[in-house]
Amino acid sequence: MEHEVAACRTLFEKKTRDYGTSWRIMRLPSLTDQIYIKASRIRSLQESGENRVGDDVRDEFVAMVNYAVMALIQLTLESDDLELPLDDAMALYDAETTRILDLMMDKNHDYGEAWRQMRVESMVDLILMKLLRIKQIEDNHGKTLVSEGVEGGYMDIVNYSLFCLCRLTEMEQKSE
């Protein structure tokens, strides 16, 4: 899992060096939609078995991790200032991923790492379900009656995406 998180972090840092924190302009529904596009593409590739663009599915999972972390960062920032120094952006990224991994460890304890027995396709379906729930909560202006809210959904998306990255690595190693 550490390898997958490190790969996501490395890409986030490189893109932040290239583009700054231009992602700060995005509202939560826009970030949600970006994640939805990535998850929908993965599902489409899984169903059709055909990849015309050639981009690796692994890259889509990494993108979902990073977009979800961006959303979580957006939830914590009160300032409308779009520019964050690189060190501040990376510190926020690290704080969010640490929080997410702590939750993952707690859930893994309680669920006995059940994700290791799950298919990547099932986890993609769960990600899409979480996204539809987040979109509904956003459409309800954040109001829920019994649900955990968007923050928990984003955290689950990161965890499922990381699980998928691990499962893809395991499958690649078995086929060698």
Side-chain angles (χ1 to χ4, degrees):
M1 194 68 60
E2 293 169 5
H3 173 74
E4 287 76 13
V5 174
C8 296
R9 185 187 192 283
T10 296
L11 182 62
F12 181 86
E13 182 174 8
K14 286 179 179 179
K15 287 196 173 201
T16 302
R17 286 182 189 279
D18 284 349
Y19 305 128
T21 52
S22 58
W23 53 267
R24 289 273 295 126
I25 196 74
M26 296 180 82
R27 293 170 283 193
L28 288 179
S30 298
L31 289 165
T32 302
D33 287 345
Q34 285 300 308
I35 301 166
Y36 185 81
I37 289 166
K38 300 299 183 183
S40 294
R41 178 173 184 265
I42 293 169
R43 183 172 171 152
S44 175
L45 293 174
Q46 289 170 336
E47 290 177 351
S48 73
E50 182 179 5
N51 183 347
R52 292 187 181 183
V53 177
D55 293 340
D56 188 12
V57 169
R58 183 178 294 279
D59 294 337
E60 303 292 11
F61 285 114
V62 170
M64 287 194 295
V65 167
N66 286 341
Y67 279 125
V69 171
M70 287 176 201
L72 290 165
I73 291 171
Q74 293 287 60
L75 284 168
T76 66
L77 294 178
E78 294 178 15
S79 167
D80 289 334
D81 188 9
L82 300 180
E83 292 299 318
L84 285 175
L86 177 64
D87 290 342
D88 292 352
M90 296 314 299
L92 290 166
Y93 186 95
D94 292 341
E96 289 302 326
T97 55
T98 297
R99 199 165 64 96
I100 293 164
L101 290 173
D102 287 346
L103 174 66
M104 177 195 299
M105 296 307 236
D106 291 343
K107 285 187 174 186
N108 275 345
H109 175 270
D110 289 353
Y111 288 93
E113 291 198 334
W115 64 270
R116 292 194 181 276
Q117 306 306 314
M118 293 177 67
R119 296 174 187 97
V120 171
E121 293 84 357
S122 296
M123 288 188 272
V124 170
D125 289 349
L126 289 170
I127 290 168
L128 285 164
M129 181 187 67
K130 293 286 181 180
L131 286 162
L132 292 173
R133 288 177 177 180
I134 291 169
K135 288 172 94 167
Q136 184 63 53
I137 293 168
E138 289 170 345
D139 290 347
N140 292 340
H141 307 288
K143 293 185 175 103
T144 62
L145 299 175
V146 295
S147 302
E148 62 188 12
V150 298
E151 181 181 36
Y154 288 128
M155 292 175 80
D156 287 344
I157 289 166
V158 171
N159 283 329
Y160 283 123
S161 296
L162 291 171
F163 293 156
C164 288
L165 288 167
C166 287
R167 294 288 292 133
L168 290 172
T169 299
E170 290 171 0
M171 291 186 295
E172 288 166 3
Q173 290 170 347
K174 284 182 182 177
S175 68
E176 292 177 350

